[in-house]
Structures are given as structure tokens and as C-alpha cells.
Amino acid sequence: MSTIMIQEDEEFIPHDAVSLFTNTPIDDALKIIRKRLELDRSWRKNTNLQIQDIMDLLEFVLTTTYFSFRNSIYQQRFGTAMGSPVSPIVANLFIEHLEQEAIATAPIECKPSLWKRYVDDILEIIRKGSQKDFTTHINTIDATNNIKFTCEEEINGTMTFLDTTGKERRRNREGIGL
């Protein structure tokens, strides 16, 4: 069991990216992936494919999203397909890009001192009273305006994160343990 200590003027805030997979913009995600491939060439040890080959294959997989429902065939026209093995990777790379931008550009008065993310659930420590400003800030990071973050406020010292409820414990004047 680990303990995270926070200052008296700080609080834990949980954020959730709303429908991350189905709201991930494919074109933007592909640009981010291309840039990462260009910057980190270590992947070349595992394949003889060129970047354009990888991008063409990835675009094909991400845009060929047909499924059947009640004997009718549909095509998902936006976002990554639920159930596709590549969707978690693409959505993760996209939200990783967003979170790096969000943290780097956060106003000092609401910049998180801790940021922990699991898929689309984020737990931050920020200055008390700055939750609304921080939520507004992170909701402006995605230029496509598709990815939105919601925040549940702490109620009576408890908060929900990753479908669990946590209660803060006061330790002493130096900090708070969760």
C-alpha cells in the first residue's frame, strides 16, 4: 500500500475522458503516430516496413470499421472501433499527446502537482478551488473539440476513481494520505 501526501491547500481531483475510444479523431491520431515514428526510429529493429507503409495499414484498419447489428451492416464513421485490437493503442497515444499538452500549458494556479492516468481516468492533485479552472483548461486542449473531460467533485471527503470510492485520511499538518 502506498501513501500519497498532499498539502493542506491541495485536493485530489478525478477526471474522466468521455467516450475516449469513439471520440478519438482518427486523422489527428494518425498525425501524432507519424510524428512519433519519425522521432523514435527504434521500431525499425522490428520491421522492414517504411513509415508510409505503416501509416497506410493503420489508416486502413482504423477506417474500415464495419459491424453488423440485427442483420444490418453499419460503418462506424468516427473514432476508434470498440473491440479492435489497435483501438486502445491509438486512443492511448492520442490522449497521451493531449495530457502532455494539458500539463505543459496549465496555468500555474491550477497546474497539477500529480497526474496519474489509467486509460481514460485521471487522478490529479491540484490547488483547492482550482478544479473548475483546470477542467476548463483541459477541455480546450483537443483542437477537434471531440475529447471532453468530466470531473466528479469530492463529497464528504470521498471521491470516485476507477469505479472505486476512496476516502481521504488526515494524517497531520504536513499532508493528507489517501
Side-chain angles (χ1 to χ4, degrees):
M1 180 175 171
S2 65
T3 300
I4 298 170
M5 301 300 284
I6 67 173
Q7 302 304 311
E8 286 290 328
D9 66 339
E10 295 178 320
E11 61 186 337
F12 284 104
I13 300 293
H15 277 97
D16 178 59
V18 179
S19 303
L20 175 62
F21 287 80
T22 55
N23 282 321
T24 298
I26 300 301
D27 290 343
D28 287 12
L30 289 171
K31 288 174 190 170
I32 290 164
I33 293 167
R34 175 182 287 279
K35 187 174 183 178
R36 292 202 46 176
L37 288 171
E38 289 169 349
L39 292 174
D40 179 7
R41 297 196 162 251
S42 63
W43 55 270
R44 290 191 172 271
K45 296 178 212 168
N46 299 317
T47 185
N48 290 327
L49 294 173
Q50 300 301 310
I51 289 176
Q52 190 57 50
D53 298 328
I54 294 169
M55 298 310 300
D56 289 344
L57 290 168
L58 196 52
E59 182 178 10
F60 176 77
V61 168
L62 292 170
T63 58
T64 310
T65 52
Y66 295 95
F67 62 95
S68 66
F69 179 70
R70 293 188 178 164
N71 297 324
S72 293
I73 296 176
Y74 299 91
Q75 180 182 18
Q76 181 177 330
R77 296 184 180 260
F78 194 84
T80 58
M82 295 298 292
S84 169
V86 76
S87 293
I89 298 164
V90 172
N92 187 59
L93 288 169
F94 182 76
I95 198 166
E96 183 178 286
H97 173 79
L98 287 184
E99 75 183 351
Q100 288 170 352
E101 180 89 10
I103 294 168
T105 61
I108 193 73
E109 60 273 3
C110 63
K111 194 176 206 80
S113 61
L114 175 81
W115 177 283
K116 297 291 183 183
R117 179 177 58 85
Y118 181 77
V119 187
D120 61 351
D121 293 301
I122 305 157
L123 180 65
E124 311 97 22
I125 295 176
I126 62 172
R127 186 175 297 153
K128 284 184 180 177
S130 62
Q131 174 263 322
K132 288 181 183 169
D133 290 339
F134 188 66
T135 301
T136 299
H137 169 70
I138 62 175
N139 278 325
T140 64
I141 298 302
D142 177 22
T144 65
N145 209 24
N146 292 310
I147 303 295
K148 291 297 180 192
F149 296 88
T150 59
C151 180
E152 289 187 40
E153 294 191 31
E154 185 179 302
I155 300 171
N156 297 327
T158 62
M159 66 170 182
T160 302
F161 180 67
L162 294 175
D163 295 327
T164 61
T165 300
K167 184 159 182 70
E168 80 175 22
R169 287 188 324 226
R170 298 266 175 203
R171 292 231 167 175
N172 56 36
R173 288 194 149 312
E174 279 98 49
I176 299 170
L178 179 69

